[in-house]
Amino acid sequence: MSQLFHLDTFGSLFGLSSLFLCGEETTRDRKPTRKGNDWRTIKDFGTRTLFPSHPSQPSAAAPARGSQETMSHLLCALLSLLSFAALLESAQWKLQENVLVIESQWDAEAPASSVELTCDSSEEQVYWEKDSEWKQEGKTLTAAVKEFPDAGNYSCLSQQSHKVLSSHLLLIAKINSQGQMLRWILKSFKGSSETFLKCEAKNYSGIFTCSWMTENKSPDVKFTIRSLKGPQGDVSCSSPVAVTEGALTTYTAQCHKESFCPFAEEHQPIDIFLEVIDLVEYENYSASFFIRDIIKPDPPQCQYVATNGTVTWAYPRTWSTPNSYFPLTFKVKVKRPRKHRYQVYDTEEQSLQLAAPGPAEVWLQARDCCYLSSWSEWSSPCR
């Protein structure tokens, strides 16, 4: 196993003081992670225990109350997910007030779904329109929904005043013969055909960004990103911002987990839910993660002095502090003129003396030293 990382006095005191600041019984132990089998460590008032990285497998040294709270959190999360899954198993469900999502098996042989709509008015003399086209008279309308032309806005109007008394918007979610939702609106990220929603955090503040992409040029596509727990959840997200490059449009939303303590061990994952509506087509996507699993620091700020071959750098300004409690490890990439190969050096220091001074292109990247996060992007060439 790798050697344990010893925090300096300030880092130790800061980590201990965070116990009281965050109201936690145990703090996150900032010691290097064993790379081979993804082990991590926890600190329980001097008792160090090594255990596999599984949120459902608490340390034997952890307080009993902490274990009970962890199990309670996991049970609540499981019940929430099961409730949501049961909701999605039905052929239709209420997305919001007067908006219904109808599951339609995307197969020519499959039957249409029958949807009964009732006019929400005390008037008896009413009639129905679908997208301004007359359908029938009566307070109840049964709509057969199979394809996109069957979905849309159904309105109940007064026969006397011709005013709209109530309306219902029907959306279609395409499913296959196994009942799984077919998702075509978003484009998967490079390297994974199953990743449509990706979240990253630059530090342990509880702030993170979620991104998704589409090739759909429809101006009517709308997105809603939120916590799976609904409005009562402890995660809030901003409205997405779109950036278009060529045929791809990338949407990014910044989210914040309230009351997140960067010094405490995470016990309950964050569940993010993205809903996509394009005219009358509905899709949803989800992601579940711990902040520690989505960490990706910004690149370090670096300088290179060619006359003496010295490379120096500073921690990213966006990284968590103090650095003694949140140490980073670095890669230094060097390319000499007229050389086709790169030299790459690994270090935990903040400077490097190259063997031979002179002209060279130098880049740096960083990642969390204690938990094996993603590497940052390479920095701009060091000047």
Side-chain angles (χ1 to χ4, degrees), residues 149-189:
D150 304 324
N153 192 55
Y154 288 79
S155 300
C156 170
L157 298 90
S158 168
Q159 290 189 14
Q160 293 182 347
S161 64
H162 302 288
K163 290 183 179 180
V164 175
L165 303 175
S166 67
S167 63
H168 299 78
L169 177 61
L170 304 187
L171 306 175
I172 285 183
K174 298 175 294 189
I175 61 172
N176 60 19
S177 58
Q178 284 76 44
Q180 299 169 327
M181 185 177 292
L182 301 175
R183 296 174 171 89
W184 294 347
I185 299 177
L186 298 193
K187 182 176 176 61
S188 61
F189 283 90

Short mmCIF file of all heavy atoms in Angstrom, two decimals, residues 149-189:
data_model
loop_
_atom_site.label_atom_id
_atom_site.label_comp_id
_atom_site.label_asym_id
_atom_site.label_seq_id
_atom_site.Cartn_x
_atom_site.Cartn_y
_atom_site.Cartn_z
N PRO A 149 -48.76 13.49 -34.07
CA PRO A 149 -49.96 14.28 -34.41
C PRO A 149 -51.11 14.10 -33.44
O PRO A 149 -52.01 14.95 -33.36
CB PRO A 149 -50.33 13.76 -35.81
CG PRO A 149 -49.04 13.27 -36.38
CD PRO A 149 -48.32 12.66 -35.22
N ASP A 150 -51.12 12.99 -32.68
CA ASP A 150 -52.19 12.75 -31.71
C ASP A 150 -51.98 13.57 -30.43
O ASP A 150 -52.93 13.78 -29.67
CB ASP A 150 -52.26 11.27 -31.34
CG ASP A 150 -52.45 10.38 -32.56
OD1 ASP A 150 -53.17 10.82 -33.48
OD2 ASP A 150 -51.88 9.27 -32.59
N ALA A 151 -50.74 13.97 -30.17
CA ALA A 151 -50.43 14.75 -28.97
C ALA A 151 -50.66 16.23 -29.25
O ALA A 151 -51.01 16.63 -30.35
CB ALA A 151 -49.00 14.50 -28.53
N GLY A 152 -50.50 17.05 -28.23
CA GLY A 152 -50.68 18.49 -28.40
C GLY A 152 -51.63 19.06 -27.37
O GLY A 152 -51.88 18.45 -26.32
N ASN A 153 -52.18 20.22 -27.65
CA ASN A 153 -53.01 20.94 -26.71
C ASN A 153 -54.50 20.67 -26.96
O ASN A 153 -55.02 20.95 -28.04
CB ASN A 153 -52.73 22.44 -26.81
CG ASN A 153 -53.35 23.20 -25.66
OD1 ASN A 153 -53.10 22.90 -24.50
ND2 ASN A 153 -54.16 24.20 -25.98
N TYR A 154 -55.18 20.11 -25.97
CA TYR A 154 -56.63 19.86 -26.03
C TYR A 154 -57.32 20.89 -25.14
O TYR A 154 -57.03 20.97 -23.94
CB TYR A 154 -56.95 18.44 -25.56
CG TYR A 154 -56.54 17.36 -26.53
CD1 TYR A 154 -55.22 16.93 -26.63
CD2 TYR A 154 -57.50 16.74 -27.35
CE1 TYR A 154 -54.85 15.94 -27.51
CE2 TYR A 154 -57.14 15.74 -28.23
CZ TYR A 154 -55.81 15.34 -28.32
OH TYR A 154 -55.44 14.35 -29.20
N SER A 155 -58.22 21.66 -25.73
CA SER A 155 -58.89 22.74 -24.99
C SER A 155 -60.39 22.52 -24.94
O SER A 155 -61.01 22.07 -25.91
CB SER A 155 -58.61 24.09 -25.64
OG SER A 155 -57.22 24.37 -25.67
N CYS A 156 -60.97 22.86 -23.79
CA CYS A 156 -62.43 22.82 -23.59
C CYS A 156 -62.94 24.26 -23.64
O CYS A 156 -62.44 25.12 -22.91
CB CYS A 156 -62.73 22.16 -22.25
SG CYS A 156 -64.46 22.30 -21.74
N LEU A 157 -63.93 24.51 -24.49
CA LEU A 157 -64.45 25.86 -24.69
C LEU A 157 -65.95 25.95 -24.42
O LEU A 157 -66.67 24.95 -24.58
CB LEU A 157 -64.16 26.36 -26.12
CG LEU A 157 -62.70 26.47 -26.54
CD1 LEU A 157 -62.20 25.17 -27.16
CD2 LEU A 157 -62.50 27.62 -27.53
N SER A 158 -66.39 27.12 -24.05
CA SER A 158 -67.82 27.37 -23.83
C SER A 158 -68.53 27.51 -25.17
O SER A 158 -68.06 28.21 -26.07
CB SER A 158 -67.99 28.64 -23.01
OG SER A 158 -69.34 29.06 -23.01
N GLN A 159 -69.69 26.85 -25.29
CA GLN A 159 -70.46 26.97 -26.53
C GLN A 159 -71.08 28.36 -26.67
O GLN A 159 -71.34 28.81 -27.79
CB GLN A 159 -71.56 25.90 -26.56
CG GLN A 159 -71.04 24.48 -26.76
CD GLN A 159 -72.16 23.49 -27.00
OE1 GLN A 159 -73.30 23.89 -27.29
NE2 GLN A 159 -71.86 22.20 -26.89
N GLN A 160 -71.28 29.03 -25.57
CA GLN A 160 -71.90 30.36 -25.63
C GLN A 160 -70.87 31.47 -25.91
O GLN A 160 -71.02 32.26 -26.83
CB GLN A 160 -72.64 30.66 -24.32
CG GLN A 160 -73.86 29.77 -24.10
CD GLN A 160 -74.59 30.12 -22.82
OE1 GLN A 160 -74.08 30.85 -21.97
NE2 GLN A 160 -75.81 29.62 -22.68
N SER A 161 -69.80 31.51 -25.10
CA SER A 161 -68.81 32.59 -25.24
C SER A 161 -67.60 32.20 -26.09
O SER A 161 -66.84 33.07 -26.50
CB SER A 161 -68.32 33.02 -23.86
OG SER A 161 -67.62 31.94 -23.23
N HIS A 162 -67.46 30.90 -26.32
CA HIS A 162 -66.30 30.36 -27.06
C HIS A 162 -64.96 30.67 -26.36
O HIS A 162 -63.90 30.67 -26.99
CB HIS A 162 -66.27 30.88 -28.50
CG HIS A 162 -67.50 30.55 -29.27
ND1 HIS A 162 -67.79 29.27 -29.70
CD2 HIS A 162 -68.55 31.34 -29.65
CE1 HIS A 162 -68.96 29.28 -30.34
NE2 HIS A 162 -69.45 30.52 -30.31
N LYS A 163 -65.03 30.92 -25.05
CA LYS A 163 -63.80 31.13 -24.28
C LYS A 163 -63.26 29.78 -23.81
O LYS A 163 -64.03 28.85 -23.55
CB LYS A 163 -64.08 32.03 -23.08
CG LYS A 163 -64.38 33.48 -23.45
CD LYS A 163 -64.58 34.32 -22.19
CE LYS A 163 -64.84 35.77 -22.55
NZ LYS A 163 -65.04 36.61 -21.33
N VAL A 164 -61.94 29.72 -23.67
CA VAL A 164 -61.29 28.50 -23.18
C VAL A 164 -61.56 28.36 -21.69
O VAL A 164 -61.26 29.27 -20.90
CB VAL A 164 -59.77 28.54 -23.44
CG1 VAL A 164 -59.10 27.32 -22.82
CG2 VAL A 164 -59.49 28.60 -24.93
N LEU A 165 -62.15 27.23 -21.31
CA LEU A 165 -62.47 26.96 -19.91
C LEU A 165 -61.38 26.17 -19.21
O LEU A 165 -61.12 26.37 -18.03
CB LEU A 165 -63.80 26.21 -19.82
CG LEU A 165 -65.00 26.92 -20.47
CD1 LEU A 165 -66.23 26.02 -20.42
CD2 LEU A 165 -65.27 28.26 -19.77
N SER A 166 -60.77 25.26 -19.93
CA SER A 166 -59.63 24.48 -19.39
C SER A 166 -58.88 23.88 -20.56
O SER A 166 -59.40 23.81 -21.68
CB SER A 166 -60.10 23.39 -18.43
OG SER A 166 -60.84 22.38 -19.12
N SER A 167 -57.66 23.47 -20.31
CA SER A 167 -56.86 22.87 -21.38
C SER A 167 -55.92 21.82 -20.81
O SER A 167 -55.58 21.85 -19.62
CB SER A 167 -56.06 23.95 -22.14
OG SER A 167 -55.14 24.57 -21.26
N HIS A 168 -55.53 20.89 -21.67
CA HIS A 168 -54.60 19.83 -21.30
C HIS A 168 -53.57 19.68 -22.42
O HIS A 168 -53.92 19.61 -23.60
CB HIS A 168 -55.33 18.49 -21.12
CG HIS A 168 -56.36 18.50 -20.03
ND1 HIS A 168 -57.61 19.06 -20.22
CD2 HIS A 168 -56.32 18.04 -18.75
CE1 HIS A 168 -58.31 18.92 -19.11
NE2 HIS A 168 -57.55 18.31 -18.21
N LEU A 169 -52.30 19.62 -22.02
CA LEU A 169 -51.22 19.39 -22.99
C LEU A 169 -50.79 17.93 -22.87
O LEU A 169 -50.41 17.47 -21.78
CB LEU A 169 -50.04 20.31 -22.72
CG LEU A 169 -48.81 20.11 -23.61
CD1 LEU A 169 -49.15 20.34 -25.08
CD2 LEU A 169 -47.66 21.01 -23.17
N LEU A 170 -50.86 17.20 -23.98
CA LEU A 170 -50.44 15.79 -24.02
C LEU A 170 -49.09 15.69 -24.71
O LEU A 170 -48.92 16.17 -25.83
CB LEU A 170 -51.48 14.93 -24.74
CG LEU A 170 -52.92 14.98 -24.21
CD1 LEU A 170 -53.78 13.93 -24.92
CD2 LEU A 170 -52.95 14.76 -22.70
N LEU A 171 -48.13 15.06 -24.03
CA LEU A 171 -46.79 14.82 -24.58
C LEU A 171 -46.59 13.34 -24.78
O LEU A 171 -47.20 12.51 -24.08
CB LEU A 171 -45.72 15.36 -23.63
CG LEU A 171 -45.84 16.83 -23.22
CD1 LEU A 171 -44.77 17.16 -22.18
CD2 LEU A 171 -45.73 17.74 -24.42
N ILE A 172 -45.72 12.97 -25.70
CA ILE A 172 -45.45 11.55 -25.99
C ILE A 172 -44.03 11.21 -25.57
O ILE A 172 -43.07 11.91 -25.93
CB ILE A 172 -45.66 11.24 -27.48
CG1 ILE A 172 -47.15 11.17 -27.80
CG2 ILE A 172 -44.97 9.94 -27.88
CD1 ILE A 172 -47.46 10.79 -29.23
N ALA A 173 -43.91 10.12 -24.83
CA ALA A 173 -42.60 9.52 -24.50
C ALA A 173 -42.53 8.19 -25.25
O ALA A 173 -43.33 7.29 -25.01
CB ALA A 173 -42.46 9.31 -23.00
N LYS A 174 -41.56 8.09 -26.14
CA LYS A 174 -41.44 6.86 -26.93
C LYS A 174 -40.78 5.77 -26.09
O LYS A 174 -39.80 6.00 -25.40
CB LYS A 174 -40.58 7.14 -28.18
CG LYS A 174 -41.19 8.17 -29.13
CD LYS A 174 -40.26 8.50 -30.27
CE LYS A 174 -39.02 9.21 -29.75
NZ LYS A 174 -38.19 9.75 -30.85
N ILE A 175 -41.35 4.57 -26.16
CA ILE A 175 -40.79 3.42 -25.45
C ILE A 175 -40.67 2.24 -26.41
O ILE A 175 -41.34 2.19 -27.45
CB ILE A 175 -41.64 3.02 -24.23
CG1 ILE A 175 -43.05 2.61 -24.69
CG2 ILE A 175 -41.71 4.14 -23.21
CD1 ILE A 175 -43.90 2.01 -23.58
N ASN A 176 -39.80 1.29 -26.07
CA ASN A 176 -39.68 0.07 -26.87
C ASN A 176 -40.58 -1.02 -26.30
O ASN A 176 -41.34 -0.79 -25.36
CB ASN A 176 -38.22 -0.39 -26.94
CG ASN A 176 -37.63 -0.69 -25.56
OD1 ASN A 176 -38.35 -0.91 -24.59
ND2 ASN A 176 -36.31 -0.70 -25.48
N SER A 177 -40.48 -2.21 -26.85
CA SER A 177 -41.37 -3.30 -26.43
C SER A 177 -41.09 -3.75 -25.00
O SER A 177 -41.94 -4.39 -24.38
CB SER A 177 -41.23 -4.49 -27.39
OG SER A 177 -39.87 -4.93 -27.43
N GLN A 178 -39.90 -3.41 -24.45
CA GLN A 178 -39.58 -3.76 -23.06
C GLN A 178 -39.98 -2.66 -22.08
O GLN A 178 -39.73 -2.76 -20.88
CB GLN A 178 -38.07 -4.03 -22.90
CG GLN A 178 -37.60 -5.37 -23.46
CD GLN A 178 -37.53 -5.36 -24.98
OE1 GLN A 178 -37.03 -4.39 -25.56
NE2 GLN A 178 -38.01 -6.41 -25.61
N GLY A 179 -40.59 -1.60 -22.60
CA GLY A 179 -41.02 -0.51 -21.74
C GLY A 179 -39.94 0.50 -21.43
O GLY A 179 -40.13 1.38 -20.58
N GLN A 180 -38.79 0.42 -22.11
CA GLN A 180 -37.70 1.36 -21.88
C GLN A 180 -37.86 2.59 -22.77
O GLN A 180 -38.21 2.47 -23.94
CB GLN A 180 -36.35 0.69 -22.15
CG GLN A 180 -36.08 -0.52 -21.26
CD GLN A 180 -34.88 -1.32 -21.72
OE1 GLN A 180 -34.62 -1.41 -22.92
NE2 GLN A 180 -34.15 -1.89 -20.78
N MET A 181 -37.58 3.74 -22.20
CA MET A 181 -37.73 4.98 -22.95
C MET A 181 -36.68 5.08 -24.06
O MET A 181 -35.50 4.80 -23.84
CB MET A 181 -37.62 6.19 -22.02
CG MET A 181 -37.88 7.53 -22.71
SD MET A 181 -37.84 8.94 -21.55
CE MET A 181 -39.31 8.62 -20.59
N LEU A 182 -37.11 5.47 -25.25
CA LEU A 182 -36.20 5.70 -26.37
C LEU A 182 -35.78 7.16 -26.35
O LEU A 182 -36.62 8.06 -26.34
CB LEU A 182 -36.89 5.35 -27.69
CG LEU A 182 -37.40 3.92 -27.83
CD1 LEU A 182 -38.17 3.75 -29.13
CD2 LEU A 182 -36.24 2.93 -27.76
N ARG A 183 -34.48 7.39 -26.33
CA ARG A 183 -33.95 8.74 -26.19
C ARG A 183 -33.16 9.11 -27.43
O ARG A 183 -32.10 8.54 -27.69
CB ARG A 183 -33.09 8.83 -24.93
CG ARG A 183 -33.89 8.60 -23.64
CD ARG A 183 -32.99 8.56 -22.42
NE ARG A 183 -33.75 8.55 -21.18
CZ ARG A 183 -34.19 7.46 -20.57
NH1 ARG A 183 -33.93 6.27 -21.10
NH2 ARG A 183 -34.87 7.53 -19.44
N TRP A 184 -33.66 10.09 -28.16
CA TRP A 184 -33.05 10.50 -29.42
C TRP A 184 -32.68 11.97 -29.46
O TRP A 184 -31.96 12.40 -30.36
CB TRP A 184 -34.02 10.21 -30.59
CG TRP A 184 -34.28 8.76 -30.82
CD1 TRP A 184 -33.58 7.71 -30.30
CD2 TRP A 184 -35.32 8.18 -31.62
NE1 TRP A 184 -34.12 6.52 -30.71
CE2 TRP A 184 -35.20 6.77 -31.55
CE3 TRP A 184 -36.34 8.72 -32.40
CZ2 TRP A 184 -36.03 5.90 -32.21
CZ3 TRP A 184 -37.18 7.85 -33.06
CH2 TRP A 184 -37.03 6.46 -32.97
N ILE A 185 -33.18 12.76 -28.53
CA ILE A 185 -32.97 14.21 -28.63
C ILE A 185 -31.53 14.59 -28.28
O ILE A 185 -30.91 15.38 -28.99
CB ILE A 185 -33.96 14.96 -27.72
CG1 ILE A 185 -35.41 14.67 -28.16
CG2 ILE A 185 -33.71 16.46 -27.77
CD1 ILE A 185 -36.46 15.32 -27.27
N LEU A 186 -31.00 14.04 -27.18
CA LEU A 186 -29.64 14.39 -26.77
C LEU A 186 -28.61 13.51 -27.46
O LEU A 186 -28.89 12.38 -27.84
CB LEU A 186 -29.49 14.27 -25.26
CG LEU A 186 -30.36 15.17 -24.39
CD1 LEU A 186 -29.86 15.14 -22.95
CD2 LEU A 186 -30.40 16.59 -24.91
N LYS A 187 -27.40 14.05 -27.57
CA LYS A 187 -26.28 13.32 -28.17
C LYS A 187 -25.36 12.88 -27.04
O LYS A 187 -25.07 13.64 -26.11
CB LYS A 187 -25.52 14.22 -29.14
CG LYS A 187 -24.36 13.52 -29.85
CD LYS A 187 -23.72 14.44 -30.87
CE LYS A 187 -22.49 13.79 -31.50
NZ LYS A 187 -22.84 12.53 -32.20
N SER A 188 -24.88 11.64 -27.11
CA SER A 188 -24.01 11.12 -26.06
C SER A 188 -22.63 11.76 -26.14
O SER A 188 -22.19 12.20 -27.21
CB SER A 188 -23.88 9.60 -26.17
OG SER A 188 -23.30 9.24 -27.41
N PHE A 189 -21.95 11.79 -24.99
CA PHE A 189 -20.62 12.36 -24.94
C PHE A 189 -19.60 11.39 -25.54
O PHE A 189 -19.80 10.18 -25.54
CB PHE A 189 -20.22 12.68 -23.50
CG PHE A 189 -20.87 13.94 -22.98
CD1 PHE A 189 -22.09 13.89 -22.33
CD2 PHE A 189 -20.25 15.17 -23.14
CE1 PHE A 189 -22.69 15.04 -21.85
CE2 PHE A 189 -20.84 16.33 -22.67
CZ PHE A 189 -22.06 16.26 -22.03
#
